[in-house]
Amino acid sequence: VQLQASGGGLVQPGGSLRLSCAASEFASDYHAIGWFRQVPGKEREGVACISLRDVASYIADSVRGRFVISRDHAKSTVYLQMNGLKPEDTAVYYCATDRNPKTRWCAIAPQIYDNWGQGTQVTVSS
């Protein structure tokens, strides 16, 4: 499966963006999907994940209460709704599939993910 992240852009602090992670085939139902971000010189950071069949999701502490992950099965797309954006959220955001997808939980450790899509730049600045 190939993933394509989109929806990034320039937004003022406090603003919102919705990122999309579209699968190349109607296979997202069979994958747990994670969102990650990376800034130059730093390691890739897990942001959110959603498990198989959308039973569970997990949001990183750094964005909990501001970011929401969801999935539209009809569109084979996973979304990351980002609200209350802060300058420290500036990064390239990526989505990927969990190598060993679970139903009851998911994790945001980058090393367990494959099929990294092309990232989308999010810049939060006034």
Side-chain angles (χ1 to χ4, degrees), residues 2 39 55 60 98:
Q2 293 183 349
V39 297
V55 171
D98 188 333

Side-chain angles (χ1 to χ4, degrees), residues 16-72:
S16 298
L17 282 174
R18 188 178 75 162
L19 304 184
S20 299
C21 175
S24 61
E25 58 195 67
F26 199 73
S28 75
D29 289 358
Y30 305 103
H31 294 279
I33 303 292
W35 278 102
F36 304 84
R37 64 187 182 186
Q38 190 168 24
V39 297
K42 292 189 176 182
E43 294 185 353
R44 190 164 293 185
E45 174 191 9
V47 175
C49 61
I50 189 165
S51 72
L52 285 175
R53 303 188 186 94
D54 308 341
V55 171
S57 64
Y58 182 80
I59 305 294
D61 290 345
S62 58
V63 301
R64 189 170 297 147
R66 300 188 295 121
F67 289 14
V68 177
I69 187 170
S70 62
R71 190 196 316 250
D72 184 333

Side-chain angles (χ1 to χ4, degrees), residues 60-121:
D61 290 345
S62 58
V63 301
R64 189 170 297 147
R66 300 188 295 121
F67 289 14
V68 177
I69 187 170
S70 62
R71 190 196 316 250
D72 184 333
H73 291 274
K75 296 182 178 180
S76 199
T77 299
V78 173
Y79 300 101
L80 184 68
Q81 178 67 44
M82 306 187 298
N83 302 318
L85 284 163
K86 304 175 181 180
E88 51 263 43
D89 295 320
T90 295
V92 178
Y93 283 72
Y94 301 88
C95 57
T97 59
D98 188 333
R99 195 175 300 127
N100 294 293
K102 282 76 67 178
T103 301
R104 297 185 179 183
W105 58 281
C106 63
I108 54 172
Q111 60 267 29
I112 69 173
Y113 282 79
D114 284 328
N115 299 312
W116 292 90
Q118 180 178 329
T120 185
Q121 176 71 47

